[in-house]
Amino acid sequence: MAKSALLKSSIVKKYWMALTGLFLCLFLAGHLAGNLQLIFSDASAFNKYALFMTTNPAVKILSYLTYISILFHAVDGFMLTYQNAKARPIGYAKNNPSKNSSFSSRNMAVLGTLILVFIVTHMVNFWAKMHFDEKMPLQTIIVEQMGQKMEYYVTTDHGKYYPADPAQLGQMGLEIRNKTEFYNKEVNVKMGEGYKDLHKITVAFFKDPKFGLIATIAYVVAMLVLAFHLLHGFQSAFQSLGLNNPKYTPLIKGFGKAFAIVVPLLFAAIPVYIHFFLK
């Protein structure tokens, strides 16, 4: 019976929906804080953040937990929608949904599906390139020496730079291995490690002459969808967990509305800034 309840109970599913949803809200806040460096900081700071997010053991564990939460949240949502539809195969004779419920609450399944599609495409365009693209560029800087501009790779060892020109790099007896590591070929010793230039591919994606504007608009629309999803989902999560209190519920609803507006708005501002204002 316990197993049956865990698998079939709509109440348990709502608990899981609430818990995973609130966890993903925390992820959104953290992810936004990092991504805002695209506006308020430079390439070095953003690429350091990207390296930290992909190498720190604690962050890796949180990342796997986030992936699991996204899948569980999506599957659980589909199952709840199916259960609700199955429980009411024949609609009410009189139904005025616009007065009985909000747009967000009536369309959570559709909104969630659109967000899931966005997450998949977003990971293909950025996460997959960061991890698997053999052509993923390394961060470089331009240094002017004796009236000439030279390009150098930036390394995680502060103050150590290597020429970005393959010929010059080879003359130093160095080669790049494992996408980011600089090795001395003669003694087979690692000399340094570069930063994957996630900043460069992000800017290039939204400033692309052909598709940059389309990508920017699509991202903004996706954030609008996210805002509607959060408008109902945030406060609904607390209701599902039974955390209703005359004193605190109005505060939760107010914070939920602010979160649902501010977070997607700031996310949407990033590609708009890159496409229209970043030089």
Side-chain angles (χ1 to χ4, degrees):
M1 289 179 64
K3 290 183 178 179
S4 178
L6 287 173
L7 291 172
K8 296 182 179 181
S9 171
S10 61
I11 295 177
V12 174
K13 288 186 176 66
K14 287 181 179 180
Y15 284 155
W16 281 113
M17 280 289 289
L19 291 171
T20 54
L22 291 174
F23 174 78
L24 291 173
C25 284
L26 290 175
F27 162 76
L28 282 174
H31 193 48
L32 174 63
N35 283 7
L36 282 175
Q37 292 182 80
L38 288 162
I39 296 179
F40 298 108
S41 193
D42 57 13
S44 293
F46 183 72
N47 289 331
K48 287 178 182 178
Y49 154 73
L51 178 64
F52 174 79
M53 294 297 290
T54 54
T55 57
N56 183 274
V59 174
K60 279 189 174 183
I61 293 173
L62 286 174
S63 296
Y64 295 136
L65 185 59
T66 301
Y67 305 148
I68 293 171
S69 295
I70 291 171
L71 291 173
F72 203 105
H73 194 76
V75 172
D76 211 21
F78 286 129
M79 292 178 69
L80 276 171
T81 302
Y82 174 75
Q83 279 188 348
N84 292 336
K86 190 176 179 181
R88 192 180 300 125
I90 301 176
Y92 294 118
K94 291 183 179 180
N95 186 20
N96 194 347
S98 61
K99 290 186 177 181
N100 297 329
S101 59
S102 67
F103 170 84
S104 299
S105 64
R106 297 193 307 273
N107 296 279
M108 286 298 281
V110 175
L111 295 170
T113 301
L114 292 174
I115 293 170
L116 184 61
V117 171
F118 166 77
I119 291 172
V120 172
T121 56
H122 187 71
M123 292 187 71
V124 168
N125 289 318
F126 300 104
W127 181 87
K129 285 187 177 180
M130 179 76 175
H131 286 81
F132 306 114
D133 191 351
E134 295 294 335
K135 297 181 180 179
M136 180 74 189
L138 296 181
Q139 182 185 343
T140 61
I141 60 169
I142 302 296
V143 178
E144 189 168 344
Q145 295 178 329
M146 301 178 64
Q148 292 186 339
K149 292 183 178 181
M150 303 290 290
E151 187 176 16
Y152 289 91
Y153 287 117
V154 179
T155 71
T156 57
D157 184 357
H158 300 291
K160 185 183 288 186
Y161 302 97
Y162 296 116
D165 179 57
Q168 292 183 0
L169 195 67
Q171 290 174 4
M172 295 177 62
L174 299 175
E175 65 178 3
I176 300 175
R177 300 179 187 175
N178 304 318
K179 301 178 185 177
T180 61
E181 299 172 340
F182 297 94
Y183 268 82
N184 185 308
K185 293 184 290 185
E186 294 182 2
V187 293
N188 195 34
V189 174
K190 180 180 175 180
M191 305 298 293
E193 185 169 356
Y195 289 100
K196 290 183 179 181
D197 203 344
L198 184 60
H199 184 278
K200 182 177 182 178
I201 68 167
T202 303
V203 171
F205 182 80
F206 289 113
K207 292 187 79 71
D208 183 83
K210 291 184 178 180
F211 303 108
L213 180 58
I214 296 173
T216 300
I217 293 172
Y219 195 100
V220 171
V221 171
M223 292 305 102
L224 181 63
V225 171
L226 176 62
F228 278 112
H229 192 74
L230 290 172
L231 274 172
H232 176 71
F234 191 94
Q235 63 184 40
S236 177
F238 286 90
Q239 290 179 355
S240 296
L241 294 172
L243 302 176
N244 289 321
N245 184 288
K247 185 177 180 180
Y248 301 115
T249 297
L251 294 175
I252 292 172
K253 288 184 177 180
F255 180 81
K257 287 181 180 179
F259 187 90
I261 294 171
V262 173
V263 170
L265 181 63
L266 290 176
F267 268 118
I270 296 171
V272 172
Y273 169 78
I274 292 173
H275 183 80
F276 291 104
F277 303 106
L278 186 63
K279 302 298 183 182

